[in-house]
């Protein structure tokens, strides 16, 4: 556990000792601000729903960017060998990296709390619904981070990892859009297996067990895949 | 102590290391020699639990290799090219490595300062690693590998990229450390290994070809004793020597009164020099030169691996 946290701390340091962390954070906050402000000033609605409905798209771009170098760079720089010969289990390495991505996205999402706070000055904000939406956003981020980490374990090039992660997430995202054109018997399955669908269902302010279990299960599945991928490299 | 028994590793169908068994005692520096692709790095990766052996086993400080978390606590490992987190500064990198090895907070900073001193890193401790020269990065890797005070040090080419002064420094450092530790280091710079190691082993094609001290290997390299002799007026002397040793072969050249000869004998421990001296006295010949040839490690290496030496003198 302590080693997992140490790894998470190291990733945090690397993220903010290099421009990447600032670039990603700035871009995310700018985009967030744009979509929130657009809803508030152009549409004239003092509510968070508009922001949360575009958030999956933002995460689609930004989470692969935060995760891309996590495992890819370690393999490219040879530091993976250093890491893997420390007294730490391979699973803890993956979990530490996952925790690092989650820490970053949590901090970024925490910064967007100024939106609901400023809205509460203008009018009534349903605190329960906003809280459920933030929880949904974190769970969706976890599912995306799992996929992106798996993508990062597949290649030793950060850019390739980004494209892989982004591609997988975009595929999942587009599958939902395409569901309408599919035979009705398949539609239900596709919608049930889509992380975004479960996220959207939580935005109503209802924390249903199946949504929570699905999204966290999705993250766990891909963390496992990343773990197997790293172990596989040793046995080849 | 490092004990390896029948270590074997395949990469797919390719055999990288075959049935390698050896033992390194505590307080000993063992050099691992071999041409590129001989299996040096693979051997080290197996000993550090990075790659699982296909078969065979090893004990590190009395712990079997399959208890890998426990084994790793006893090992300080410097991988080839000394990888380190180039985006971090030296102190943060060392702090990370120390924490990952579970060093308590109270002693961590002291250890970092101590190791930075030992490896000559004080001047660059706050610099980012990607700004450092190859030599400094090598030292950062070395400092990181020794931070948790391991029983065994496994160093993959610790002196590549260092200048001659640094090589001497690192060599002294390794010797000093070796008093209390077990050190296994690989290199293909032969004089380097000769100077730094108590014993060495030569591997080629994944197989152990020779193991022993430099002197032992040198004798194996010849496969016999060689004596260079130069005499004035000494045909009878050579005849005497030929009579005294049944297996000796003599190549001689005459230039006026001077005879130059090379005496070869298959037994490396035979004492031909004494016989030559006494024969020269008996026949009143003048002995101008009497020189046993000492095999250089390069010859041994070439003989054992059947290839020219990859990199000669450093």
């Amino acid at each position: 556990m302590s080693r997992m946290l140490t790894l998470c701390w190291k990733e945090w340091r690397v993220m903010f000792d290099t421009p990447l962390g600032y670039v990603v954070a700035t871009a995310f906050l700018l985009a967030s601000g744009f979509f929130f402000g657009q809803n508030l000033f152009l549409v004239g609605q003092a509510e968070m729903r508009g922001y949360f409905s575009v958030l999956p798209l933002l995460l689609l771009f930004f989470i692969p960017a935060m995760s891309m170098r996590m495992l890819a760079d370690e393999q490219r720089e040879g530091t993976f060998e250093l890491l893997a010969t420390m007294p730490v289990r391979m699973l803890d390495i993956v979990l530490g990296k996952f925790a690092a991505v989650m820490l970053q996205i949590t901090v970024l999402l925490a910064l967007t709390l100024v939106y609901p706070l400023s809205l509460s000055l203008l009018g009534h904000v349903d605190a329960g619904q906003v809280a459920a939406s933030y929880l949904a956003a974190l769970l969706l981020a976890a599912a995306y981070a799992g996929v992106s980490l798996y993508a990062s374990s597949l290649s030793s090039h950060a850019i390739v990892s980004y494209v892989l992660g982004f591609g997988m997430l975009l595929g999942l995202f587009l599958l939902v859009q395409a569901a309408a054109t599919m035979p009705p018997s398949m539609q239900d399955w596709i919608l049930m297996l889509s992380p975004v669908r479960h996220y959207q269902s939580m935005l109503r302010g209802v924390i249903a067990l199946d949504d929570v279990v699905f999204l966290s299960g999705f993250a766990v599945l891909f963390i496992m895949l990343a773990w197997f991928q790293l172990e596989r490299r040793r046995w080849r | 102590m490092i004990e390896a028994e029948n270590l074997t590793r395949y990469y797919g169908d390719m055999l990288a290391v075959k049935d390698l068994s050896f033992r390194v005692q505590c307080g000993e520096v063992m050099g691992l020699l071999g041409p590129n692709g001989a299996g040096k790095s693979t051997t080290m990766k197996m000993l550090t639990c990075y790659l699982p052996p296909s078969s065979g086993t090893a004990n590190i400080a009395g712990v079997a290799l399959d208890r890998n978390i426990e084994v790793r606590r006893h090992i300080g490992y410097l991988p080839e090219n000394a990888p380190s987190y180039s985006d971090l500064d030296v102190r943060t990198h060392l702090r990370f490595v120390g924490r990952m090895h579970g060093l308590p907070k109270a002693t961590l900073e002291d250890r970092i300062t101590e190791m930075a001193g030992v490896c000559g890193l004080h001047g660059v401790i706050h610099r980012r690693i990607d700004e450092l020269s190859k030599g400094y990065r090598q030292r950062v890797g070395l400092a990181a590998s020794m931070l948790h005070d391991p029983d065994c040090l496994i160093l993959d080419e610790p002196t590549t990229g260092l200048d001659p002064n640094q090589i001497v420094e690192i060599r002294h450092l390794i010797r000093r450390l070796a008093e209390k530790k077990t050190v296994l280091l690989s290199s293909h710079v032969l004089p380097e290994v000769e100077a730094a190691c108590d014993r060495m082993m030569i591997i080629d094609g994944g197989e152990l070809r020779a193991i022993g001290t430099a002197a032992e290997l040198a004798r194996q390299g010849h496969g016999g004793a060689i004596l260079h002799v130069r005499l004035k007026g000494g045909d009878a002397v050579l005849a005497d020597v030929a009579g005294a040793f049944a297996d000796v072969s003599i190549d001689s050249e005459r230039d006026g009164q001077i005879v130059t000869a090379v005496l070869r004998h298959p037994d490396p421990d035979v004492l031909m020099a004494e016989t030559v001296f006494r024969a020269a006295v008996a026949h009143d010949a003048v002995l101008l030169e009497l020189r046993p040839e000492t095999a250089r490690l390069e010859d041994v290496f070439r003989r054992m691996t059947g290839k020219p030496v990859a990199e000669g003198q450093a």
Side-chain angles (χ1 to χ4, degrees):
Chain A
M1 186 67 185
S2 71
R3 292 188 166 81
M4 201 188 93
L5 292 179
T6 303
L7 192 57
C8 183
W9 162 81
K10 192 268 301 182
E11 293 306 332
W12 182 261
R13 282 297 303 257
V14 169
M15 206 69 183
F16 290 99
D17 278 2
T18 55
L20 183 66
Y22 295 101
V23 170
V24 169
T26 310
F28 179 81
L29 291 174
L30 276 177
S32 285
F34 172 77
F35 286 112
F36 172 72
Q38 185 194 35
N39 215 39
L40 183 65
F41 298 116
L42 299 182
V43 185
Q45 285 177 328
E47 57 166 29
M48 293 294 289
R49 241 182 305 173
Y51 173 67
F52 277 113
S53 67
V54 292
L55 191 60
L57 261 179
L58 287 184
L59 296 180
L60 188 65
F61 281 95
F62 286 101
I63 290 190
M66 291 174 189
S67 320
M68 63 181 182
R69 38 154 291 280
M70 288 283 171
L71 295 167
D73 270 10
E74 297 270 4
Q75 296 177 50
R76 193 177 167 75
E77 306 274 328
T79 45
F80 186 71
E81 195 170 341
L82 201 67
L83 203 56
T85 51
M86 288 173 179
V88 55
R89 291 177 306 161
M90 200 68 93
L91 180 60
D92 286 336
I93 295 176
V94 182
L95 288 176
K97 299 278 181 179
F98 176 74
V101 178
M102 287 313 289
L103 178 65
Q104 284 162 36
I105 192 68
T106 306
V107 169
L108 290 183
L109 283 174
L111 290 174
T112 66
L113 282 173
V114 292
Y115 308 151
L117 288 177
S118 54
L119 283 187
S120 68
L121 299 176
L122 298 173
H124 175 70
V125 174
D126 184 344
Q129 194 197 356
V130 169
S133 301
Y134 270 105
L135 178 65
L138 279 178
L139 285 170
L140 184 69
Y144 279 13
V147 174
S148 305
L149 269 186
Y150 174 56
S152 184
S153 75
L154 290 175
S155 167
S156 49
H157 294 265
I159 297 297
V160 175
S161 295
Y162 179 83
V163 174
L164 279 175
F166 180 74
M168 283 194 263
L169 292 177
L170 187 69
L172 275 172
F173 189 81
L174 291 181
L175 206 58
V176 181
Q177 314 296 313
T181 64
M182 305 244 179
S185 55
M186 281 174 69
Q187 275 184 21
D188 287 350
W189 282 99
I190 288 173
L191 294 181
M192 204 173 77
L193 291 176
S194 154
V196 177
R197 200 68 187 181
H198 288 272
Y199 163 80
Q200 283 164 347
S201 123
M202 287 182 78
L203 292 187
R204 292 171 299 152
V206 184
I207 302 175
L209 189 64
D210 64 334
D211 296 330
V212 175
V213 168
F214 178 85
L215 288 171
S216 28
F218 203 85
V220 170
L221 173 72
F222 278 92
I223 289 171
M224 290 290 172
L225 284 177
W227 175 35
F228 291 150
Q229 177 63 23
L230 293 184
E231 288 283 5
R232 206 175 70 92
R233 278 172 182 264
R234 296 176 59 220
W235 288 94
R236 252 194 319 218
Chain B
M1 190 162 78
I2 301 172
E3 292 169 284
E5 270 171 56
N6 305 103
L7 280 180
T8 302
R9 168 79 195 192
Y10 285 92
Y11 291 114
D13 289 335
M14 204 192 81
L15 182 64
V17 173
K18 186 182 171 190
D19 263 345
L20 196 61
S21 300
F22 61 90
R23 177 190 278 253
V24 190
Q25 301 289 348
C26 185
E28 186 178 40
V29 183
M30 171 70 97
L32 184 53
L33 281 169
N36 294 327
K40 301 188 297 279
S41 291
T42 306
T43 305
M44 294 190 150
K45 284 176 184 174
M46 284 193 281
L47 292 174
T48 52
C49 303
Y50 180 61
L51 295 175
S54 304
S55 67
T57 181
N59 282 315
I60 308 284
V63 185
L65 218 53
D66 43 344
R67 289 166 60 197
N68 56 36
I69 300 288
E70 178 67 20
V71 167
R72 289 170 191 177
R73 286 183 217 283
H74 292 289
I75 292 179
Y77 178 39
L78 176 71
E80 205 172 352
N81 300 324
S84 42
Y85 291 103
S86 49
D87 291 325
L88 297 176
D89 61 88
V90 174
R91 182 172 276 277
T92 311
H93 174 72
L94 292 178
R95 206 177 276 154
F96 168 68
V97 173
R99 283 194 200 170
M100 288 301 274
H101 275 287
L103 284 184
K105 267 209 170 80
T107 56
L108 180 61
E109 296 301 318
D110 291 342
R111 274 303 285 176
I112 291 175
T113 310
E114 189 186 337
M115 281 301 119
V118 166
C119 298
L121 289 169
H122 276 320
V124 297
I125 195 97
H126 295 297
R127 295 263 296 275
R128 272 168 60 109
I129 292 175
D130 59 0
E131 294 171 357
L132 299 181
S133 67
K134 179 88 174 70
Y136 272 117
R137 269 184 240 182
Q138 200 76 27
R139 296 191 206 189
V140 171
L142 212 53
S145 69
M146 297 184 303
L147 205 56
H148 58 293
D149 199 16
D151 302 320
C152 299
L153 275 175
I154 295 182
L155 311 172
D156 201 346
E157 309 204 346
T159 52
T160 42
L162 300 184
D163 65 45
N165 293 333
Q166 292 169 335
I167 290 179
V168 173
E169 273 173 43
I170 297 292
R171 187 190 301 158
H172 285 314
L173 175 63
I174 290 172
R175 293 244 57 123
R176 195 149 23 100
L177 288 167
E179 286 164 18
K180 287 170 290 175
K181 294 183 195 306
T182 312
V183 182
L184 177 66
L185 67 87
S186 79
S187 180
H188 48 228
V189 183
L190 300 173
E192 175 55 42
V193 176
E194 216 171 347
C197 302
D198 301 306
R199 288 199 303 152
M200 54 200 78
M201 50 188 183
I202 297 178
I203 62 172
D204 185 35
E207 284 181 82
L208 187 63
R209 292 294 159 92
I211 185 166
T213 62
E216 283 165 3
L217 289 186
R219 263 186 299 156
Q220 286 180 38
H222 271 310
I226 297 178
L227 196 64
H228 294 262
V229 181
R230 213 143 64 96
L231 290 157
K232 198 160 144 191
D235 294 319
V237 174
L238 295 179
D240 268 20
V241 175
F245 297 100
D247 297 328
V248 77
S249 68
I250 300 173
D251 297 323
S252 61
E253 247 174 65
R254 169 174 282 281
D255 179 17
Q257 268 201 305
I258 311 279
V259 178
T260 311
V262 182
L263 283 61
R264 291 195 171 82
H265 194 279
D267 179 5
D269 293 321
V270 81
L271 286 169
M272 293 186 290
E274 191 179 333
T275 313
V276 172
F277 176 76
R278 290 192 190 287
V281 171
H283 295 285
D284 200 22
V286 181
L287 204 50
L288 296 171
E289 186 184 342
L290 183 61
R291 176 170 59 88
E293 184 179 309
T294 47
R296 291 169 313 144
L297 206 52
E298 270 103 290
D299 303 327
V300 184
F301 188 89
R302 228 173 267 139
R303 208 182 141 94
M304 298 288 173
T305 61
K307 281 170 206 156
V309 181
E311 277 173 34
Q313 278 79 7

